Structure formats: C-alpha cells, structure tokens
Amino acid sequence: MSRELLVVQRARKSFQTGKTKPLEYRIHQLKNLLRFLSERRSDIADAVKRDLGKSAHGTELFETLGLEGEINLAIEKLAEWAAPRPVEKSLLTIFDEVYIQPEPLGVMLIIGTWNYPWAITLQPLVGAIAAGNAAVIKPSEVSSHSAKVMEELLPQYLDKDLYPVVTGGVPETQELLKQRFDHIFYTGSSTVGKLVMAAAAPHLTPVTLELGGKSPCYIDKNCDIRVACRRITWGKFVNCGQTCIAPDFILCEPSIQSQVVEEIKKCIKEFYTDNPETFEDYGRIINQRHFKRLMALMEGSTVAVGGNSDESQCYIAPTVLKDVTEESEVMKEEIFGPLLPIITVSGVDEAIQFINEREKPLVIYIFSHDNKLIKKVIAETSSGALLANDCLVHYTVSALPFGGVGNSGMGCYHGRHSFDQLSHLRSCLIKQLKMEGVNSMRYPPHTAKKLGWARFLLKQVNMCRLRRMALEALLPFYVKHD
C-alpha cells in the first residue's frame, strides 16, 4: 500500500467523523493557518529566496500579504457564506421552504505550482478549509525549498490528518492522481492540466484547472504611452516574468513601436537600476532547464532591450524583443520569463483578430483612454479576465472570480468564489403534510388525491385575476381546516 494511498485514506476517515462540519472548527484551522504565516515568515522568505532569488520584501508583497487577506476575509464572512441561501419560489412551492445549503465536497487534492509556491498553493487551501473539506496538499517539487518548509512546518499548525502535505516529484503526483478525490485543484501548465483531467475522469472527480497561456497586451496609440509602459514593465518583469498573468506580448501599431521600446527601457532602469543582476528585488529563473528554454525562445528575434544572461546564476535580464512575427519561436508557447516581444498590428481590429485566432488567454490587457475601444475589446474577445490600463491587480480583488476559460483553465477561486467552487450547493425543498384540502377545491376528493398539487396549480395558472384573488382569500380557510 503506497504512502499516498494511506494519506488519502487517513484524510477521508478523519473527514467522515464530521469534525470539519462545525464553523467553529473551520475558523480555528483558518486562524492556525494565519498564525503559521505570521510565526514562520522568515522561514518562508528564506525558502523563496533560495528557490527564486526573491527578496523578503517581495515574498511578503506577492506571497503572504494576499494570503493573510484571504484568510481574514474567510474568517469574517464564513457564517454568511455557509448559511442557507433562500431562493425565489414558484407558484408550486409558494408555501414551502426552498433554499440552497452549501455543504463540503469531501477530500480534495491541491496541486500547487512553483512560481508563487506559497500564495498559489495555500489560497485554494483557504477555500477548502472554509468550505469544510479535507485537503491533501502537493507542493511543486520544482520549488524544492518551499516544499520542504511546507512539509515540515505546516503540520505543526493544521490538523495533520485532514490537511497532510505530500512532497515528491512526478511519480508521487501520479500516485496521488490514481486515488479517488472529491475535487482536484491544479495550478500549472495546460499540458499537465490535460493529464490531471484525464486522471480525474475514471472517478468522475470535478476539477478546477488554473492554467496560463499567452496573455496579450494591446496599446492604443492615443493613450498615455509613458504611463502604459511603466505599468506593463512592472507587470511583466515582477518575479522575473514568472507569473501566469504577466503580459506575454505587446500588440501595437508600427508608429509607436520605437516609443514603446524606449519607455520600457527607461522603466527597467528606474525599477532595477543599470544592472538588474545585482539588484535585490530582481529574481532568478527557477532552474537551468527553464533558463535554456527561455534562451532558445529568443532565437530569430531582435533584442531591443536587455538580452544579457548568466547560466550559472539562472539570470536573464529584463528583455524586449522587436521584429517579432507570429511564426517566431517566442510566440509558440507561453513565455513565463522576462522576455517581452512586440508585434505590430494596424489597429484594434487586427489586434482583436490576432487574439481570436489563438487559444483563449488567462487575461487580456488593454491600454487606452477610449472607453468605447475598451468595451469593443470586451465585446469581441473572450478571456479569463480583462484588465484595462493596468497589469496584475485584478488578482488582488477578492470579489472578482479568478480563473481561465478554454485552454487557460476552468473553474475559479478567490474570496467567496473559492468557498462556492469547493462546496456542493445543495438544493433543498421542504414541504408540509398540510393543505391537502386545497387539492379538493376543483376536483372530487378521490381525483384530487390522484392529480395532486401539480395538476391543480397548472390548471389554475391562466385563471383571471379575480379568481386568483378569490383563491388567495380562501387558502387560509383550507389551511385551517385541512
């Protein structure tokens, strides 16, 4: 019997005791998770530094700060989210109790990713705990230091039976995927997402797939190009470009391409100094395999800014590429690194056509003063999200569902959306064994009992207003004398 099977069995057995049902228990676990982030802040920062070269400030800003906000929101709103939700009644159910009752799904599998090893792995866990589920946590083996810290320290704060951490590589993940779960939450590439979905199919296990894709960024020639480039530079090169919602490439008219290049060049210098290699807040590529992949993507394109690299440090400078075509190597896959290609188009119509000829992206970015142009892009494209005149910040809004569409993913999370995604929204209708006398109003008693409420009410749907008023007046009498 494999270690993975034993872990899943233990989690299911613990879940079946019902200990996760009380809201007090869920809140207690959420508070313990919050305490973990506070007390182990230096351990987390050190692990991320060793994995991605990120500074302690960067780790707090992009990993733990948002997590703490999600946990506090869940604690504050849990009673509201978990409460029965009344729904609009029909004529058939006007005197019945009709509502939606959120209930836990059961045992989840959360497969995290390496680029934000804490935020992206633990945010789904917040939703899983809030919804009353058990969860097996599988951090990415690529961010090995973070995975080790998570494995060693998280069980000291959370119920180790209900929320176990399983580390390892591909074999361990494959063994986990053989087990039956009630939901699988995966963040990563579309290629692996298909394998996860295939593994879930034999058990009819629902999945949430948070994938990626090539998120386009259109710059309108009439916008404030300086501000646009400043925000694009930040969004693209944070975490060394290893962000699933980073702008993957720029679409703009040829007349502004040179200005865009120059403005981004200025911003790179402002943000990361003349030598980003020595700047504390500019990270590193996760490993040499990805380093070599990124270097190969630059082939055939002209380096307009940056291009410097050091394989021994897995360092690639913030880089802008021009003279890029749709056949260029850099346009054949999601970049996931500090390379920013520019493709020229004749205007917004060609940009929309370019976007629609490809897989649906996780997000579309557009920079423009023209609200009609922005609404045009919204109306004529499809993506997981659309953000105008900034980058990345939609991820920070808990009220917005975060997720992809098509090749960029399925399902969503954040805030209440996490709770709903990881709950079963159970339909409940409670009738009373009363009012049988109403069924006798139109038919003889023996006929009314056979036809029942449904036939009776369907026969009355088209009656005139006067008859409806008369029925309403008589109903209390029948209720009283039933």
Side-chain angles (χ1 to χ4, degrees):
M1 190 175 292
S2 68
R3 175 185 64 141
E4 291 75 20
L5 174 58
L6 288 172
V7 165
V8 177
Q9 287 182 341
R10 188 164 63 246
R12 188 168 299 282
K13 182 178 179 180
S14 187
F15 172 78
Q16 288 172 343
T17 65
K19 67 192 300 184
T20 66
K21 290 288 184 74
L23 300 191
E24 295 80 9
Y25 180 84
R26 306 181 200 182
I27 290 172
H28 178 68
Q29 293 296 307
L30 289 170
K31 287 182 176 178
N32 284 349
L33 184 58
L34 195 63
R35 187 164 58 86
F36 165 74
L37 294 174
S38 175
E39 294 179 359
R40 300 297 185 171
R41 196 174 302 275
S42 61
D43 297 289
I44 293 170
D46 180 64
V48 175
K49 177 69 174 179
R50 296 170 71 183
D51 285 327
L52 289 153
K54 194 180 297 183
S55 68
H57 173 72
T59 297
E60 183 174 7
L61 186 61
F62 294 104
E63 297 273 8
T64 58
L65 198 61
L67 265 175
E68 290 168 346
E70 284 283 305
I71 297 169
N72 283 320
L73 179 65
I75 291 170
E76 177 189 351
K77 297 289 187 178
L78 184 56
E80 175 187 331
W81 295 347
R85 305 175 188 181
V87 299
E88 186 177 350
K89 299 178 183 180
S90 68
L91 190 58
L92 285 168
T93 60
I94 194 167
F95 295 107
D96 303 326
E97 190 177 354
V98 187
Y99 60 94
I100 296 168
Q101 178 63 63
E103 66 176 21
L105 288 169
V107 181
M108 284 182 55
L109 171 62
I110 299 173
I111 305 176
T113 190
W114 53 262
N115 58 324
Y116 292 92
W118 294 93
I120 294 179
T121 305
L122 296 187
Q123 274 214 19
L125 179 63
V126 174
I129 295 173
N133 298 301
V136 177
I137 306 152
K138 172 59 180 69
S140 173
E141 71 279 7
V142 178
S143 50
S144 58
H145 298 96
S146 292
K148 184 178 180 181
V149 170
M150 198 176 295
E151 178 187 36
E152 291 178 353
L153 299 183
L154 195 59
Q156 297 179 24
Y157 292 82
L158 297 181
D159 187 310
K160 60 179 180 297
D161 291 333
L162 284 166
Y163 311 110
V165 179
V166 176
T167 56
V170 174
E172 287 77 12
T173 303
Q174 289 175 335
E175 186 63 30
L176 279 171
L177 287 170
K178 292 177 184 177
Q179 313 309 319
R180 183 177 72 82
F181 289 94
D182 299 291
H183 196 98
I184 298 175
F185 196 112
Y186 168 75
T187 304
S189 69
S190 300
T191 301
V192 178
K194 294 173 184 177
L195 298 176
V196 170
M197 198 169 183
H203 302 293
L204 294 179
T205 298
V207 296
T208 300
L209 302 178
E210 298 297 339
L211 309 177
K214 297 184 74 63
S215 295
C217 179
Y218 176 69
I219 305 177
D220 178 17
K221 67 179 180 181
N222 296 316
C223 78
D224 188 328
I225 294 175
R226 183 187 65 83
V227 173
C229 290
R230 183 180 178 84
R231 295 179 182 180
I232 292 167
T233 301
W234 173 77
K236 175 62 181 183
F237 298 115
V238 70
N239 201 33
C240 210
Q242 298 167 118
T243 305
C244 62
I245 52 174
D248 195 87
F249 59 93
I250 288 174
L251 296 170
C252 68
E253 295 185 32
S255 61
I256 65 169
Q257 180 178 210
S258 296
Q259 186 181 357
V260 167
V261 170
E262 285 305 310
E263 291 296 339
I264 293 176
K265 184 178 181 179
K266 292 177 186 176
C267 291
I268 291 172
K269 181 178 180 180
E270 178 187 351
F271 293 168
Y272 303 112
T273 74
D274 287 321
N275 188 7
E277 187 173 1
T278 62
F279 188 65
E280 183 184 20
D281 282 326
Y282 186 74
R284 295 294 183 266
I285 307 304
I286 186 68
N287 57 33
Q288 290 195 336
R289 179 174 68 84
H290 280 281
F291 174 89
K292 292 175 180 177
R293 177 186 64 82
L294 288 165
M295 294 303 294
L297 291 182
M298 283 196 275
E299 294 178 6
S301 299
T302 302
V303 174
V305 179
N308 303 328
S309 64
D310 183 344
E311 184 173 353
S312 66
Q313 294 188 49
C314 288
Y315 166 78
I316 298 176
T319 299
V320 180
L321 305 173
K322 65 178 184 178
D323 301 331
V324 176
T325 68
E326 52 188 298
E327 288 81 26
S328 299
E329 288 297 321
V330 76
M331 293 303 295
K332 293 181 180 179
E333 62 181 70
E334 182 181 4
I335 295 170
F336 223 67
L339 313 180
L340 182 57
I342 301 175
I343 293 181
T344 56
V345 292
S346 60
V348 68
D349 289 323
E350 187 178 348
I352 290 171
Q353 181 182 351
F354 189 94
I355 292 167
N356 289 339
E357 286 173 349
R358 286 153 182 80
E359 297 284 4
K360 295 180 180 181
L362 190 53
V363 57
I364 293 172
Y365 296 108
I366 177 170
F367 286 83
S368 177
H369 290 306
D370 187 346
N371 199 49
K372 288 183 179 179
L373 189 148
I374 294 170
K375 294 296 177 65
K376 176 182 174 70
V377 176
I378 293 174
E380 297 182 15
T381 62
S382 178
S383 59
L386 184 140
L387 178 55
N389 298 322
D390 210 339
C391 292
L392 312 189
V393 295
H394 64 292
Y395 183 88
T396 68
V397 182
S398 293
L400 287 175
F402 181 82
V405 59
N407 204 62
S408 58
M410 62 179 67
C412 61
Y413 69 124
H414 284 190
R416 181 169 181 161
H417 304 288
S418 297
F419 180 90
D420 286 353
Q421 181 76 26
L422 304 178
S423 297
H424 170 53
L425 302 181
R426 190 180 195 181
S427 300
C428 296
L429 189 152
I430 302 173
K431 297 186 73 71
Q432 300 295 324
L433 291 171
K434 296 180 180 179
M435 299 182 66
E436 195 64 25
V438 179
N439 284 329
S440 304
M441 288 175 63
R442 186 175 178 88
Y443 302 101
H446 64 280
T447 305
K449 288 179 180 179
K450 290 180 181 179
L451 295 176
W453 265 97
R455 276 288 295 274
F456 169 78
L457 288 171
L458 287 172
K459 285 286 186 181
Q460 308 305 318
V461 166
N462 294 319
M463 65 186 177
C464 68
R465 183 181 179 191
L466 185 61
R467 289 188 64 193
R468 288 201 303 271
M469 291 173 64
L471 176 62
E472 290 168 0
L474 287 170
L475 278 175
F477 173 80
Y478 284 98
V479 172
K480 182 177 179 180
H481 292 86
D482 186 76

